Amino acid sequence: METDWIAKWAQYSPSKTVVRDNHAQSELTYSQLDNLANYLGQKLSALGIRKGDRVVILSEFRIELVVLFGVALKKGIILVPLNYRLST
């Protein structure tokens, strides 16, 4: 049985900050992360993305990327982050 640690921490410490982006001056609490990850997980499921599927991400490090990692934990998808600085 897999444990949804984000949901557990959202119950234990809903208002505690999980991640802070000093550049964008924003932050997420455990409760916000849980809600966003659940919402995005439903949207990805509606697109047909299921457990074990790979999702490629090309992004700078942002709070939204942390939400995607939360979705991956909840839904069992495999994130494949690409290095946006890598050039040929």
Side-chain angles (χ1 to χ4, degrees):
M1 177 178 204
E2 296 178 24
T3 302
D4 184 351
W5 288 105
I6 295 171
K8 282 206 177 285
W9 278 103
Q11 289 176 342
Y12 297 146
S13 303
S15 60
K16 186 173 181 178
T17 301
V18 176
V19 64
R20 180 177 294 126
D21 183 349
N22 290 331
H23 181 70
Q25 306 248 331
S26 60
E27 62 185 28
L28 281 179
T29 64
Y30 279 107
S31 179
Q32 292 170 323
L33 176 60
D34 188 46
N35 291 335
L36 286 170
N38 287 333
Y39 175 77
L40 186 55
Q42 290 173 353
K43 295 297 181 183
L44 291 177
S45 292
L47 292 173
I49 297 173
R50 303 283 180 248
K51 183 176 182 175
D53 288 350
R54 289 172 174 77
V55 176
V56 174
I57 302 167
L58 179 61
S59 172
E60 296 180 4
F61 184 75
R62 300 176 47 116
I63 283 183
E64 292 83 358
L65 188 59
V66 174
V67 174
L68 284 172
F69 278 102
V71 172
L73 287 171
K74 289 175 171 287
K75 295 292 184 179
I77 62 175
I78 301 165
L79 294 183
V80 182
L82 300 178
N83 186 344
Y84 72 96
R85 294 180 182 152
L86 187 63
S87 62
T88 58

